[in-house]
Amino acid sequence: MNNQQTNTNYPALYTLIVVFFFWGFIAAGNSVFIPFCKNYFHLDQFQSQLIDFAFYTAYYIGALLLFIFGTISGKDLVGKWGYKRSIVYGLLFSALGAAAMIVAVEVNIYLGMLIGLFIVALGFSLQQTAANPFAVLLGDPKTGASRVNLGGGINSLGTTIGPLIIGFALFGTFETISDDQIANLPLNKVVYLYVGVGLLFLLASALFYFSKKVPDGYNLEPMEPANKARTTLIIMTVLLLCAFIPVFTSYNSDAALEIEKLKELVKTNTDISIAENLKALSHKLELSRMFWLLGALVVVVGGLLFSYSSAKKNPAGWGAMKYPQLVLGMLALFVYVGIEVAIGSNLGELLTLKEFGNLQSSQITPYVSMYWGGMMIGRWAGAITAFNLTSSRKQLLTIIVPIIAFSIIIGVNTMAGFDMSVLYFYIICVAIQIVAFFISKEKPVRTLIIFGTFGLLAMIVGLLSSGTVAIYAFLSGGLACSIMWGSIFSLSIQGLGKYTEQGSAFLVMMILGGGIIPPIQGKLSDIIGIHNSYIVPVIGFVYIIIFAILVRKFLTKQGINIDDIEAEGAH
């Protein structure tokens, strides 16, 4: 790798972190877009979650294609293009996705919007593959993690502002609009939004391309072979497609058409047998859809466990997957991204329940902003350790920084016209997070166990209660998840040596969890109710705790001191 330097290239770094902002802005904004589309297009909860499916599956497909081309050619495609050019290509691709979104909105087609988001996220996948190592390249490698953490902090700022801007674009006003009125709203402001976003993508790509201070960032090191890993991932992808196709086609099946006819009959006929027949057919169809969705989950989990088992017996051909910490870390990252997105994306539907405030979709924006803002609170606090500060200053900032971040979230939403008084006491949950930081003592395994337990307990409290207590508990999922990407990422790539970059690519693929787990929770919600569907993140947090315990065992066995590991990586 060339262009290595010891002095930080700040102009290039500041240009780069704009890209980190885009990722958070669009991703968190989807949590507001989902309930809007559900009411506008008259979707069930699963169909509304296809926004996440399209967005996060694109990350997986993009990273997988780069890996396949790299292993065939023997060279890392992104490294061959150069990190600078790769980011430019990614931004241009995202601009193309924004154009597709504009066309889809103009013709008022939900499928077209999903395709547009898919293309935007494909561009993000290429940007993300290049951005993290590029941030390390822009200065002394020893301080690379601090630059990535800075990008993560800006990313989190995007997740806080995104719901506000997209909420305004969708509803046009911060006054309450009933869900029944949403179907009659004009979508012209969504067009304006994506015209603006598309232009920003083009502007950012121009800044990168024409800036002489941004190095090319070539990496011409050969790609490590991993034929068995490549074959397994391709088979997993085909099986995932086979699992989702029956679910998609079921919405136009004979059973679905019969259900629609029965729904019309129920409106005009008081015959109890018709209603009972409708209920039975609907339940049967929903169970069939759930079966296939769980099949998709089995494909991912089973595929990774198969890789783990096979590589253990014969590591040849598995590349980075021969390391148990990486394979189990891939599953942990899949689960983490999945539950992080699922909690936020299903939040809008949860808040429509009477026991959760009976809110309209136009009223959920501050709650979504606070949930994703929890990421900012945790990441800003976590970034303190990257700076060379005295112990006493670190402890003081660990208290002050989360409070400042919380105040920013409250302030931004208040300026936007929302009444934030209902969330003032959420500072209690932030205080719990601060305590968790002190207990974790900057040790990655302990941090993951403590924050995983925090998330687990929060979800259980949310399931067993209602009202403000439950809302605070589910919002705390954002605080718990805030440090997990860096912790899981760092623990998973320890000890990989020459396979580190390949292992990083595998981990980025596991953003796929954001495309698989939210639709599963959405369909489970259609069957057992949105409140009870939050059993999904409960199970997810349990695995993350198990991963932390297992990875400590594997790394210790390999002679790696886990206390010297520094969290890195941002998404």
Side-chain angles (χ1 to χ4, degrees):
M1 185 182 297
N2 62 0
N3 295 324
Q4 197 69 269
Q5 60 187 73
T6 56
N7 295 323
T8 301
N9 185 337
Y10 287 107
L13 179 62
Y14 296 150
T15 306
L16 178 63
I17 61 176
V18 173
V19 177
F20 285 77
F21 178 85
F22 282 145
W23 303 340
F25 179 89
I26 299 295
N30 287 343
S31 296
V32 177
F33 201 44
I34 285 169
F36 174 87
C37 286
K38 179 179 181 180
N39 290 286
Y40 190 88
F41 293 103
H42 306 292
L43 310 171
D44 64 22
Q45 189 63 11
F46 165 76
Q47 290 173 306
S48 71
Q49 296 296 312
L50 292 180
I51 289 173
D52 282 335
F53 173 80
F55 189 78
Y56 290 99
T57 301
Y59 273 92
Y60 169 72
I61 296 297
L64 178 62
L65 289 175
L66 288 172
F67 170 68
I68 291 172
F69 291 142
T71 52
I72 291 174
S73 66
K75 291 184 178 180
D76 175 25
L77 197 59
V78 171
K80 182 180 179 181
W81 289 340
Y83 296 137
K84 175 180 177 178
R85 190 184 301 176
S86 296
I87 291 174
V88 170
Y89 290 162
L91 286 165
L92 292 175
F93 217 87
S94 293
L96 178 64
M101 276 291 289
I102 293 168
V103 173
V105 171
E106 289 286 7
V107 297
N108 206 19
I109 297 177
Y110 181 56
L111 177 60
M113 294 182 185
L114 296 179
I115 293 172
L117 279 173
F118 182 85
I119 297 173
V120 168
L122 269 180
F124 283 2
S125 177
L126 180 54
Q127 294 164 38
Q128 179 142 337
T129 302
N132 283 325
F134 198 27
V136 175
L137 179 67
L138 295 176
D140 189 339
K142 294 180 180 178
T143 59
S146 65
R147 290 188 291 279
V148 174
N149 285 332
L150 174 62
I154 299 300
N155 172 274
S156 297
L157 182 62
T159 64
T160 303
I161 296 175
L164 292 170
I165 302 298
I166 292 180
F168 179 74
L170 294 174
F171 301 111
T173 175
F174 291 115
E175 296 178 3
T176 301
I177 296 174
S178 70
D179 289 345
D180 293 334
Q181 294 175 305
I182 286 178
N184 299 317
L185 288 176
L187 292 181
N188 59 311
K189 282 190 172 62
V190 179
V191 173
Y192 301 151
L193 170 68
Y194 274 93
V195 166
V197 168
L199 289 174
L200 286 173
F201 287 144
L202 292 175
L203 177 61
S205 65
L207 283 173
F208 265 90
Y209 183 78
F210 292 108
S211 175
K212 295 181 180 180
K213 294 185 178 181
V214 178
D216 293 323
Y218 292 110
N219 179 11
L220 302 179
E221 295 178 5
M223 171 76 79
E224 296 297 333
N227 295 336
K228 291 179 181 177
R230 182 180 65 205
T231 302
T232 301
L233 288 168
I234 292 173
I235 292 173
M236 282 173 55
T237 305
V238 173
L239 291 177
L240 281 173
L241 185 63
C242 292
F244 271 95
I245 286 177
V247 183
F248 296 151
T249 57
S250 71
Y251 282 89
N252 292 316
S253 65
D254 292 338
L257 295 175
E258 180 65 22
I259 288 171
E260 289 303 316
K261 290 179 181 178
L262 290 175
K263 284 181 179 179
E264 292 300 319
L265 282 175
V266 167
K267 293 178 182 178
T268 57
N269 197 311
T270 58
D271 189 344
I272 297 176
S273 62
I274 296 177
E276 290 178 345
N277 192 23
L278 171 61
K279 184 177 179 180
L281 281 176
S282 298
H283 186 66
K284 183 179 179 181
L285 182 58
E286 295 292 14
L287 288 178
S288 173
R289 291 166 176 166
M290 193 68 202
F291 170 80
W292 287 107
L293 289 172
L294 289 176
L297 184 63
V298 169
V299 166
V300 177
V301 176
L304 291 176
L305 292 180
F306 167 78
S307 302
Y308 169 77
S309 176
S310 299
K312 192 174 181 181
K313 296 176 183 176
N314 181 13
W318 284 102
M321 279 192 177
K322 67 183 178 181
Y323 294 93
Q325 62 267 35
L326 176 71
V327 179
L328 295 180
M330 288 171 68
L331 182 55
L333 212 62
F334 172 86
V335 170
Y336 148 67
V337 176
I339 61 176
E340 172 192 275
V341 176
I343 294 170
S345 295
N346 286 285
L347 190 61
E349 181 67 14
L350 181 76
L351 294 172
T352 63
L353 299 180
K354 184 178 180 181
E355 60 269 32
F356 283 88
N358 197 26
L359 301 182
Q360 304 298 313
S361 296
S362 60
Q363 296 174 300
I364 69 167
T365 299
Y367 295 91
V368 173
S369 179
M370 183 60 75
Y371 172 75
W372 289 103
M375 300 294 194
M376 182 177 76
I377 294 170
R379 287 174 182 170
W380 283 15
I384 293 170
T385 59
F387 298 95
N388 187 21
L389 301 171
T390 62
S391 178
S392 59
R393 287 187 177 180
K394 282 185 179 180
Q395 291 177 359
L396 181 61
L397 287 174
T398 301
I399 297 172
I400 294 175
V401 168
I403 295 173
I404 292 174
F406 174 75
S407 301
I408 290 173
I409 299 165
I410 293 290
V412 169
N413 280 273
T414 300
M415 290 172 61
F418 290 107
D419 179 11
M420 298 298 289
S421 59
V422 71
L423 291 173
Y424 287 165
F425 290 103
Y426 186 65
I427 190 68
I428 297 172
C429 300
V430 176
I432 295 173
Q433 186 200 48
I434 292 172
V435 172
F437 271 116
F438 278 106
I439 298 174
S440 61
K441 296 181 179 179
E442 303 176 21
K443 296 180 179 180
V445 171
R446 182 186 290 188
T447 298
L448 207 52
I449 292 174
I450 290 171
F451 277 80
T453 303
F454 177 27
L456 174 62
L457 294 176
M459 294 303 106
I460 292 174
V461 169
L463 279 170
L464 299 179
S465 60
S466 61
T468 302
V469 171
I471 291 173
Y472 280 16
F474 288 133
L475 290 178
S476 294
L479 297 172
C481 288
S482 62
I483 53 81
M484 288 188 177
W485 173 276
S487 297
I488 294 172
F489 201 98
S490 298
L491 289 167
S492 300
I493 62 173
Q494 290 304 308
L496 268 59
K498 64 181 181 180
Y499 293 101
T500 299
E501 192 159 342
Q502 187 182 95
S504 299
F506 287 150
L507 289 168
V508 171
M509 290 182 201
M510 291 300 100
I511 292 177
L512 172 68
I516 302 293
I517 294 178
I520 288 177
Q521 183 174 345
K523 182 49 63 187
L524 188 62
S525 167
D526 291 331
I527 298 172
I528 66 174
I530 187 65
H531 190 187
N532 291 330
S533 74
Y534 273 80
I535 189 67
V536 171
V538 168
I539 298 170
F541 280 121
V542 168
Y543 174 72
I544 289 171
I545 296 169
I546 292 173
F547 163 74
I549 295 170
L550 290 176
V551 79
R552 175 167 53 191
K553 171 187 172 184
F554 288 124
L555 294 180
T556 302
K557 191 174 182 180
Q558 294 172 26
I560 297 171
N561 187 352
I562 59 174
D563 292 336
D564 292 337
I565 299 172
E566 184 178 12
E568 59 183 313
H571 81 116

